[in-house]
Structures are given as structure tokens and as C-alpha cells.
Amino acid sequence: LVTDTDASRELAVALLREMTFLTWLPARWGAGDEPEPVLQVDDFWAKEVFSAYATSVGEKLEAAGVDVLKERLIEIFDVTKKGQFSTTWRPAVEDHEQNKGADKVPSVLISAFRDALLGFADRRAVAASDYLQGLIGSDIVVLQRVAIFVIGTFRAQFQHLIPQLIDPKWFSYQYQHEMYGLLEVSVADFSDDEIKDLIEVIHERAAERKGADESVEMQEKREAYEALRWLSAGKDRGSKTIDDLYATYRSITGADLEHPSFSSYVDSGWIGDQSPYTVEDLLSREFSEFAKILHSFKESGAWKSPTRRGLALAVKDAVKSRPEYFQGNLMSLIGTHHDYTSQIIDGYRDLWNDCLYDNWRELLEFCHVTLKSDGFWPDGEGVKPEPLLGAHGSVVGSIADLVRTGTASDETAYDGSHLPTTREILVLALEKQESADFSGNRDAVSVAINSPRGKCIEALFNFALRLCRIADAGGDGHKSVWENELRPHFDEQMELLDSGNLEFATLYANYLPNLLFMNWAWTIDGLPTVFSGEDHERWACAMQGYTFVNQVYTDVYTFLRDDGHILKALDSEVIESRGKNKLIQNIAIEYLRGGEQLTDANGLLRAVLDRWQDDELRELIWFIWTLRDGKRQEYLPKVLPLWTEIARRADGDAKNDQRILARLCSLSAFIDELDVKVKNLILRGARYVEREHDSYILVEQLRRLVDEYPNQVADIYLVMLEEFAPTYQKENIEQTLAAIYKSGGVLRQKANQIFDKYVERGVEFVMELRIKLAQENSPAYSLS
């Protein structure tokens, strides 16, 4: 919209309707027996246009624009059966590799509807709340799924809608992916009662999976698998109840679930590779003949002919189907193609994940001999690899993943007698495996954890932690183990930083809690080397790794602050907004702990205030608000001065500053006394509060305070109503206004002023409340 007028909005809606008008082609043009919808513009260009502008449709046209896209989807679902089976062709509401036919009209319109609804929700949370409520109450699964996705995306604004979704209805395969994502981002904020409700629903759904005619053992496993699916979404997010229950069910299944958010999952890549032999055919042969097949098979190159990849996948399935067939025979497979080697190792890893088979001694020796074999390494001596033999990195990565699986947890770790061989494997792999290319990459963590060398370094961490835990369990502590057995390996990796080794720089920062556990002094002493300002690429990798650490260590924070790394990262293009938000959260935590002082001119908190970046300040305020539960009295002496200082600096005429003032209102959650100072602070932002979609927070806090401070609350409401009329948390609003009205005298006059302002904005439920209160408190009262 060039101009934001009623006429321009009507024109834009009309244009959107025209652009999305559907023509239906006969079934022969479509899939199966169903007719195919076609837009007025080419599918490709429709996708491009909506990718660029759908969010703006929601922001500018709000419900009117979103409705057009919703109506088109409803038309498609009325004509076809796509609405009934949406999880088969659109497994994820977000853009995802599992989605099929992303360029087809139904999928294009779902993405457009999703983005428009996100734009609407971001712009007008209160209005969007009612809209989302309507979608949840509809009978169209896709629309319900999109609503759940949007609620999860803006969980702070729509947290009031989440409790109604903790219901068995939504824990079915139709909503599985979106509900899983919602739980992942919201469980950390659940109250104890909400956790209890969630677990009751999970138990109910899990119990439904038990077959009446099955054995008790099979019933328990089915129930455990279903429970794990949902518990995994909330695991490691601060709830001991969920974590303990997860551990209980996992002890029954013996394995974690892969891709728990999907009811079905199709691995991407290499689809269609065919094996020249079935698994049954391979396993029916003498092992010498089986080995000969792997050593001799060559691809013909013909269309749809069997491939080495297809055979390798069949070999993996054979390992998982009959691992005893391979026992005692692995060494005869040394020198086969890397594809076979990596799939054999991956098959054993999967078996161990499921606690189904133990052949570690032979398997680790197989890995060790493979790494030592002639020609395995590109620069090794001896026979060189044949052309197209395959990348050795895939085997190195598989071996590293295997070691990590076998050492990650004491409950599932292989016997300690295998650790000497493990050490030899890791030393050799780290000596030979080259680093990945990190140049210009803004996702160093992803590169590190997916590269062969990065996997080896993670395996080294797991191996070292396993040794330390064994030493601790023995009662002598792990200090000696660190100094004599582990430190030389970590010193070597540190020295290699000068020649690259960026995986280590990234993962050192990412694994700081584990390194500090193993040896605090060594880890702290290494900070200047890893975060070296003289090597920008190393610094960028380390900082990206650090932004994934979920605990603030004062010694680490002090170093990063005093050496200027945090401030540098806030200005760096290689640190994404998520990482910068994490650094702002670090500053907030240190301020609340006392490590940052508002009066310290050289401190980071003062630096953030002096920079006056609205996104940084709003993140700072929001994060402090998330720490409110159980901490109001403890943090109030820190919160109030910060609130005062930010409000003092804010310019009420500047649009961005108005958003900052609005966000500050959320800090009312820490207040118990609504004195003149606090009231004035709230008034500064009350008129703008909905610009941050935070009115529901202020409404809730005013309800908490109204009984003791009705006059102050009335004044705040009157200021809020100058720009908008909050309607969400209807019960809180009604209770607050009733308390003001019942106070009588001047306060009743203020209550009537509030009622009048609501009525002017067309909010009917307030008028009903006014009549009710008038009848209850003044029987002779008449509205005529």
C-alpha cells in the first residue's frame, strides 16, 4: 500500500481476490481423479509474489487480507479431499524438505496464508487472538494447524491460547508436527499445574496405543513410544518432572525416537537407489561370497540400474536385521568402498541406539584398522584410492558418530575396557582429518557439528567426559585423569588453532560448560586464544559457538566483556539476531546477579543503554520479564532502577521509543506497590502498550493490583484507552473494572468514563458489565 486509506485497502483486497481466483481443470490435468486448481498467474510467479508480499498482506490488510487466502483454501478443500489428508502432502506448516509439491497451488496458498497470518499477528495481537481462536474452532485441519504454528511463533503474545490446546484432541497425528513445535518453545514457561495437565494428556494418548490382544510387554512398549514422542518436545527445558518421566519411558524402549515431530518421515536424498540384491538374498549367502560382492560390484551406469548406494543401504539393513551374521567377519570387509563401510558402521550405531546388539570390541577394531589401512587417507602412503572410490570423510564421520553414541551417557555407554581403542581411533582421526571450509559462513556451529572433523572433536569431548565420570565415580575425582590422559589431546587441538582447526574453536565455545567441568583453569586460560581478535574467522566461529551456551559463567562473561568481544559481536554481521539476543540476555543475567551495574560508565549495560538500539532494549526488557516467576522480590531492586533509567531516556514522540516504553509496561509483573513513581512509569508506556502486543500482560498485572490501588489502576486504564481498547483476558478486565466501579465515589465516575471509552470503540461485553454493575449496586438506576 502506497497510501494507508480505506480506499487503498479495499483496492488491495480486490486485487488479492482477483489474483487468487481459482480455475478448475479437469481431472486428467490433475492428480488422481480430483480436478486441479489453477491461479490466474503462473504457479512459480505466484509463489515468488507471495513469498515477498504475503506478510505485508497481513500487516496492512489484517483480517480482510487473511480472509481472502483462507476462503481460497476452503474452496480447495470443499472441491478436493486435500483437507482430509493434509499431513501426507504438507507434513509441516513451515517450509520444510518433507513437504511435497511446494510449487503446487494448494501448498503455495497455505504458505501465503501462513505468512499473512504471521504478519497480522505481529501487527495486531489482540485482533489476531480472536481470529486464531476462530481458526482453532473450525473443522478444517489445515487451518487449525496454521493457527497452532502462529501461536507457537508468537507464544509470548498468545500464551493465553495455549492451555486450551493441552487437550487429547490436539495430540493426534493430524496436528503432531505443529503441536510438537509449540511444546518445544513453550514448555519452559509452563506452570506446575500446566505441566501436570500436559502429562495427563500424554498419558491418555499413550494409553490409547495399547492393543488389547497384545502381550503386556508389547503394550508397555507401545505406550512408552507414544509418550516419548511428546515428552521429547519438553525434555531438557527446565521441568524435572518431564525429564524424569522421559528417562522412565526411555528405559522401556531403550532408544530415543528419530524425527518425533512427524507421524511419518521420508529421508531425503538418494531416493530411488536400487540394490542388485535384497537383504534376504545377501544374508542367505556364505559370508565369503557376501564379501566378494562388496569388493567386486560395479555400477553399469544404465538408467534405473542398481547402484552402489543402493547396495550400501541394503548392507546397512542387513546389519540391523542379523548383526550376528557379521560377527567375526568384519575384517574381511576392510578395503571395500567407503559407502559400504560407513553404512555398516551406521547400522551398528542404530543397533546400539536401540540397545539391541553389542559387538564393540570387533567393531572398534574394524574402525581402527580402516583408518590405518593403506590408501584410506588422500595423503597417505601406499596404494592410492581408485577414482570415484568415495570420500573418506563419510567414514570418518560415521566412526565419530559411533564413538559419540557409545560414550555419551553412562547408562548406555560401552564398557570402559574399550576406551583405549577409542583413544587410538580419535588420535588418528584428528591427526589426519582436514577441517571444513568456514569462510564467509554465518552458521559455524552447523558446519562444525556436520563436518567429519567436527564430529571427531565432539566425539573427543564425549570420550573425555566419559573418562572423567568414571574417575569421579571411583571417588578420586578426575583431576589426575585430566592432567595425565586428556589435557595433552586438548592442548594439541588448541595449538592447531593457528593453522585453522575452526571446528575446535567453534565447539570449544559451544561446549564451555563441559570443558569448565573437566578443568576450569585450563578452560579460562584458553579463552584469549580461542577468541583471538587477531583472527577474525576464528573469533567469529567462537562467538557463534558461544551464543548457543545456555548458562552464564561470570568468569567467561567478564573476559568477553572486558576484552570487548560482546560489544563487537553485537555490531558484527556474522552474528545472527538470535545470537545477539542471547548476548543481551547474558548482560541481563549479570545485571540481575550484580556483575553489571547501572552506574558503571564502562559496563556493558550502560553501553547498551547508550547505544539505544530499540531491538536490543526490547530484548533486554522482555528477557527480564521472563524471569519474573518466583523472583519478583529478589529482582525488584534491580528492575525498578533500570525501568526508571530507560523511561527517562525514551522520547515519547519517537515511534521506536514508544515501543520501548510499551515493552517496559511488562515489568509491572515485578511490582507489588503502585506508588506515584511506579504509576508514572506505567503511564509513560500505557498508551502505546499494544504496539508491542503486551497489553495482556499489563491487564493481568492491573487485575492483581486493583484491590489495593483502584484509583491508580483507573488512571492507567483511561490512558490505555486513548489509543486502543484491550479485550483479551476478558475475565481480568471485567474483574478490574468491577473493582473500580464498586469503590464508589470519584472512582465510580472514572469507571463510567472507562465504560464510555470502551463503548465508543464498539466493545459490547463492557456495556453488559456496566448494566450488571448498575443493577447490583443501585437498584433504582436506569439507563434510559
Side-chain angles (χ1 to χ4, degrees):
L1 292 175
V2 178
T3 57
D4 190 10
T5 64
D6 290 343
S8 63
R9 283 191 291 273
E10 290 175 5
L11 180 61
V13 170
L15 180 62
L16 183 62
R17 288 188 184 281
E18 185 65 26
M19 178 181 174
T20 58
F21 183 80
L22 296 175
T23 301
W24 291 89
L25 295 182
R28 66 178 182 274
W29 295 104
D33 297 327
E34 292 184 343
E36 181 180 12
V38 178
L39 291 168
Q40 299 305 297
V41 296
D42 181 79
D43 293 355
F44 171 82
W45 289 112
K47 183 179 179 182
E48 291 293 302
V49 170
F50 284 131
S51 295
Y53 297 109
T55 303
S56 296
V57 166
E59 291 175 343
K60 303 287 187 180
L61 303 180
E62 300 180 359
V66 179
D67 272 342
V68 173
L69 297 167
K70 182 181 73 173
E71 289 165 6
R72 297 308 186 209
L73 286 171
I74 291 174
E75 179 181 349
I76 291 174
F77 302 145
D78 283 344
V79 176
T80 72
K81 297 179 181 178
K82 286 188 175 296
Q84 301 174 35
F85 308 107
S86 65
T87 55
T88 61
W89 56 275
R90 185 75 184 216
V93 166
E94 76 272 20
D95 297 329
H96 196 284
E97 62 181 8
Q98 290 294 296
N99 293 339
K100 306 173 182 67
D103 295 326
K104 298 293 185 181
V105 170
S107 198
V108 169
L109 289 177
I110 284 179
S111 296
F113 175 65
R114 173 201 68 205
D115 291 346
L117 188 54
L118 286 170
F120 179 28
D122 194 25
R123 176 73 177 271
R124 292 287 302 279
V126 172
S129 177
D130 294 336
Y131 197 95
L132 290 167
Q133 189 72 64
L135 293 176
I136 290 172
S138 74
D139 57 359
I140 300 177
V141 171
V142 172
L143 302 185
Q144 294 170 320
R145 291 174 59 203
V146 174
I148 295 169
F149 173 80
V150 172
I151 291 169
T153 302
F154 294 111
R155 62 189 182 281
Q157 292 93 317
F158 302 120
Q159 63 178 358
H160 59 283
L161 296 177
I162 295 176
Q164 66 181 291
L165 296 173
I166 308 304
D167 182 278
K169 169 186 177 180
W170 306 106
F171 285 68
S172 67
Y173 78 93
Q174 294 173 300
Y175 311 102
Q176 182 172 320
H177 185 67
E178 286 66 45
M179 282 300 299
Y180 189 96
L182 177 69
L183 293 176
E184 276 191 307
V185 299
S186 60
V187 161
D189 296 324
F190 275 22
S191 66
D192 291 343
D193 287 342
E194 288 170 330
I195 292 290
K196 180 180 177 182
D197 291 342
L198 172 62
I199 290 174
E200 287 180 358
V201 170
I202 291 174
H203 279 151
E204 181 175 338
R205 293 297 301 178
E208 293 174 2
R209 298 303 299 270
K210 296 190 293 187
D213 298 330
E214 295 175 334
S215 67
V216 173
E217 181 182 4
M218 182 56 69
Q219 288 182 341
E220 288 181 350
K221 281 197 170 185
R222 285 188 182 277
E223 183 177 13
Y225 273 115
E226 181 65 16
L228 281 181
R229 180 183 307 284
W230 297 107
L231 290 170
S232 63
K235 186 170 74 75
D236 299 330
R237 284 170 174 79
S239 171
K240 186 176 185 302
T241 303
I242 288 179
D243 292 347
D244 290 348
L245 195 57
Y246 183 93
T248 299
Y249 280 120
R250 193 191 183 286
S251 68
I252 297 174
T253 65
D256 299 312
L257 300 181
E258 290 190 21
H259 314 296
S261 70
F262 289 100
S263 56
S264 63
Y265 189 92
V266 179
D267 286 320
S268 60
W270 299 101
I271 294 174
D273 278 307
Q274 300 295 315
S275 170
Y277 305 94
T278 66
V279 172
E280 293 75 15
D281 189 13
L282 290 172
L283 293 174
S284 69
R285 302 168 182 268
E286 293 290 332
F287 198 88
S288 58
E289 186 179 356
F290 171 89
K292 185 177 180 180
I293 289 173
L294 300 194
H295 281 285
S296 62
F297 175 75
K298 296 185 183 298
E299 295 178 350
S300 70
W303 177 251
K304 292 188 177 180
S305 63
T307 64
R308 184 175 57 245
R309 173 72 176 178
L311 178 56
L313 293 173
V315 169
K316 178 181 178 180
D317 288 341
V319 170
K320 295 172 67 173
S321 177
R322 271 184 61 196
E324 63 276 7
Y325 176 76
F326 293 82
Q327 188 162 349
N329 295 309
L330 288 178
M331 292 305 169
S332 65
L333 302 180
I334 296 291
T336 59
H337 193 280
H338 291 337
D339 277 350
Y340 306 136
T341 304
S342 62
Q343 292 300 329
I344 289 168
I345 295 169
D346 288 350
Y348 273 106
R349 184 200 63 212
D350 289 352
L351 284 170
W352 187 251
N353 274 330
D354 294 336
C355 297
L356 294 176
Y357 196 71
D358 181 353
N359 189 29
W360 281 106
R361 188 170 301 282
E362 182 184 11
L363 180 57
L364 290 171
E365 187 61 25
F366 172 71
C367 294
H368 192 204
V369 173
T370 295
L371 295 179
K372 294 191 299 182
S373 60
D374 289 342
F376 179 82
W377 300 99
D379 59 346
E381 297 178 358
V383 180
K384 296 294 182 182
E386 298 175 7
L388 304 180
L389 185 61
H392 66 281
S394 64
V395 177
V396 174
S398 292
I399 292 174
D401 284 340
L402 180 73
V403 170
R404 290 168 58 199
T405 299
T407 57
S409 167
D410 290 341
E411 294 178 357
T412 58
Y414 51 68
D415 189 79
S417 63
H418 303 312
L419 292 175
T421 304
T422 304
R423 182 195 303 275
E424 294 179 17
I425 289 171
L426 293 175
V427 168
L428 180 55
L430 287 168
E431 177 188 346
K432 296 285 191 179
Q433 180 61 51
E434 68 276 11
S435 286
D437 180 14
F438 283 77
S439 57
N441 200 294
R442 299 176 69 180
D443 192 358
V445 173
S446 178
V447 175
I449 65 177
N450 289 295
S451 73
R453 184 173 184 82
K455 290 183 177 183
C456 289
I457 289 171
E458 286 197 287
L460 175 64
F461 284 136
N462 278 15
F463 165 78
L465 289 165
R466 172 77 169 135
L467 278 180
C468 289
R469 292 194 302 269
I470 290 174
D472 289 343
D476 296 328
H478 62 264
K479 181 178 180 180
S480 176
V481 168
W482 167 261
E483 288 296 335
N484 299 321
E485 300 186 45
L486 296 174
R487 179 169 179 167
H489 302 306
F490 285 89
D491 282 343
E492 181 180 10
Q493 296 306 311
M494 190 74 78
E495 291 169 4
L496 289 172
L497 287 173
D498 288 337
S499 57
N501 203 17
L502 295 177
E503 284 93 346
F504 183 73
T506 307
L507 295 172
Y508 166 99
N510 192 224
Y511 277 75
L512 269 172
N514 305 101
L515 287 170
L516 289 167
F517 159 74
M518 287 190 282
N519 192 274
W520 188 282
W522 182 90
T523 305
I524 297 299
D525 289 345
L527 291 170
T529 301
V530 175
F531 289 89
S532 172
E534 297 178 2
D535 187 330
H536 179 72
E537 194 169 36
R538 185 197 309 174
W539 176 89
C541 288
M543 284 305 305
Q544 289 181 49
Y546 178 73
T547 62
F548 283 89
V549 176
N550 290 322
Q551 188 167 348
V552 181
Y553 299 91
T554 298
D555 287 356
V556 177
Y557 175 87
T558 301
F559 163 78
L560 294 175
R561 177 192 64 194
D562 294 350
D563 273 30
H565 299 296
I566 293 179
L567 204 55
K568 177 181 176 181
L570 290 175
D571 289 326
S572 175
E573 294 182 357
V574 299
I575 307 299
E576 298 285 0
S577 59
R578 183 209 58 79
K580 293 179 179 180
N581 286 344
K582 181 60 72 70
L583 296 175
I584 293 295
Q585 293 170 19
N586 277 206
I587 296 170
I589 289 172
E590 276 299 301
Y591 171 65
L592 295 174
R593 285 178 177 174
E596 286 285 344
Q597 301 296 329
L598 194 58
T599 56
D600 183 2
N602 297 318
L604 272 182
L605 182 62
R606 279 291 297 272
V608 169
L609 294 180
D610 292 343
R611 289 157 63 86
W612 203 254
Q613 301 289 323
D614 70 292
D615 55 340
E616 293 178 359
L617 292 168
R618 290 187 291 113
E619 177 67 23
L620 177 75
I621 299 163
W622 170 83
F623 181 71
I624 290 175
W625 172 75
T626 67
L627 304 175
R628 66 200 180 279
D629 290 343
K631 296 287 188 178
R632 286 197 297 124
Q633 293 302 317
E634 179 182 345
Y635 289 157
L636 182 58
K638 290 285 187 178
V639 170
L640 196 53
L642 179 63
W643 185 355
T644 302
E645 178 62 16
I646 295 176
R648 183 187 67 81
R649 292 173 177 239
D651 178 359
D653 294 328
K655 185 176 180 180
N656 286 345
D657 284 12
Q658 290 172 0
R659 295 185 67 187
I660 293 171
L661 289 168
R663 178 57 57 89
L664 283 170
C665 289
S666 65
L667 299 183
S668 59
F670 291 89
I671 301 301
D672 282 329
E673 297 181 8
L674 195 50
D675 56 24
V676 174
K677 179 179 180 180
V678 174
K679 173 189 170 183
N680 289 335
L681 286 173
I682 295 176
L683 288 174
R684 288 288 313 278
R687 72 184 69 235
Y688 315 119
V689 68
E690 187 52 22
R691 299 186 187 182
E692 283 295 279
H693 315 300
D694 285 345
S695 62
Y696 71 96
I697 299 175
L698 186 55
V699 164
E700 181 180 359
Q701 300 311 316
L702 293 178
R703 170 64 192 96
R704 180 172 62 85
L705 296 165
V706 69
D707 292 336
E708 191 169 351
Y709 302 98
N711 190 51
Q712 292 90 328
V713 169
D715 291 341
I716 293 169
Y717 255 91
L718 287 168
V719 170
M720 267 201 299
L721 287 163
E722 291 178 6
E723 280 214 0
F724 83 105
T727 57
Y728 171 60
Q729 288 188 328
K730 178 181 175 183
E731 182 179 353
N732 279 339
I733 294 170
E734 289 179 335
Q735 290 176 0
T736 302
L737 298 187
I740 297 171
Y741 186 93
K742 292 175 182 178
S743 297
V746 174
L747 281 171
R748 182 164 298 184
Q749 296 177 18
K750 289 186 177 182
N752 284 326
Q753 292 178 40
I754 294 171
F755 289 138
D756 289 342
K757 287 181 177 291
Y758 263 110
V759 171
E760 289 173 7
R761 294 183 179 275
V763 181
E764 295 181 0
F765 79 84
V766 176
M767 188 59 182
E768 297 170 1
L769 173 64
R770 184 178 191 175
I771 295 172
K772 178 183 176 182
L773 289 171
Q775 292 172 343
E776 290 176 352
N777 293 274
S778 301
Y781 180 84
S782 172
L783 292 176
S784 60

